[in-house]
Amino acid sequence: ASRAPAEAVYDLLADIGSHLEWGGRRQPRKTYRLLSIEGPDGAATIGTEFRSTGADAMGEFADSSVVTEAARPALFEFVTEARLSTKKGKVVEWTNVHRYEIAAEPEGCRITYTVRILRISDLPGLMAFFKIPGLRALVLRFGGSNSRKGLRGLARLAEERVRRNLAALEEHL
């Protein structure tokens, strides 16, 4: 949940450069965050492409993404072709769909994030636990924890920007 309106959250998602703030610098774990992002300025629309790098406990990612859904203020989705280079020298390639649904609520909005893994080339190291049903839930819970931290960063940054914009408006009045 966020106290910011849905439009403010959507605008951050569509501002590809802002992902480095809420998904990078504001992430509490240095081993799980965006490290760089390159994309066009302005609001991303369907077809907008961007590149990013990121840290993961297993290594580093180099990603290429394209926006596939962009319906302000309710939906933002992109598909990522990811390449993880593990610390042990393995390369794992993924195709992921990242979907953010934003629902207006009386006190702000609710952000729902889902990620679907469409393809993965290998399950090295700890990822091999995905093959074991009892341990799969633990791995997913850990991954969900990282996603929730990113969502909190997105929600809080949207709230901060709304407060800053209101303060600036009050100064002009």
Side-chain angles (χ1 to χ4, degrees):
S2 177
R3 292 184 302 273
E7 292 81 3
V9 171
Y10 180 91
D11 291 347
L12 277 176
L13 288 166
D15 175 7
I16 299 301
S18 79
H19 293 218
L20 189 57
E21 179 65 27
W22 59 266
R25 291 185 280 271
R26 291 181 181 231
Q27 282 286 66
R29 290 191 177 126
K30 291 186 182 203
T31 57
Y32 184 82
R33 64 177 56 210
L34 281 175
L35 299 172
S36 71
I37 196 156
E38 296 174 17
D41 292 332
T45 59
I46 294 172
T48 297
E49 296 181 12
F50 59 98
R51 296 187 177 281
S52 58
T53 62
D56 182 275
M58 291 184 61
E60 289 199 2
F61 277 97
D63 298 347
S64 177
S65 302
V66 63
V67 176
T68 52
E69 297 281 347
R72 186 177 192 265
L75 177 62
F76 192 81
E77 179 184 271
F78 56 94
V79 174
T80 299
E81 295 295 335
R83 182 180 174 93
L84 170 67
S85 298
T86 71
K87 294 174 184 174
K88 294 189 176 187
K90 282 198 154 238
V91 173
V92 182
E93 295 177 333
W94 317 51
T95 302
N96 299 320
V97 178
H98 303 271
R99 184 177 180 89
Y100 296 84
E101 296 177 40
I102 310 151
E105 293 186 342
E107 299 296 318
C109 68
R110 178 156 306 277
I111 310 159
T112 303
Y113 169 71
T114 55
V115 61
R116 287 183 301 142
I117 301 170
L118 300 181
R119 176 186 65 86
I120 188 165
S121 64
D122 193 12
L123 294 174
L126 294 176
M127 292 172 63
F129 288 129
F130 275 112
K131 298 176 189 173
I132 304 167
L135 296 176
R136 183 179 306 139
L138 291 174
V139 175
L140 290 172
R141 186 175 298 142
F142 180 74
S145 168
N146 288 329
S147 295
R148 281 188 294 281
K149 288 174 183 161
L151 279 178
R152 274 196 287 281
L154 170 64
R156 299 302 86 83
L157 183 57
E159 292 165 3
E160 289 170 22
R161 288 200 176 174
V162 167
R163 281 193 300 274
R164 196 173 344 148
N165 290 344
L166 287 174
L169 183 61
E170 288 173 357
E171 280 184 27
H172 289 309
L173 296 177

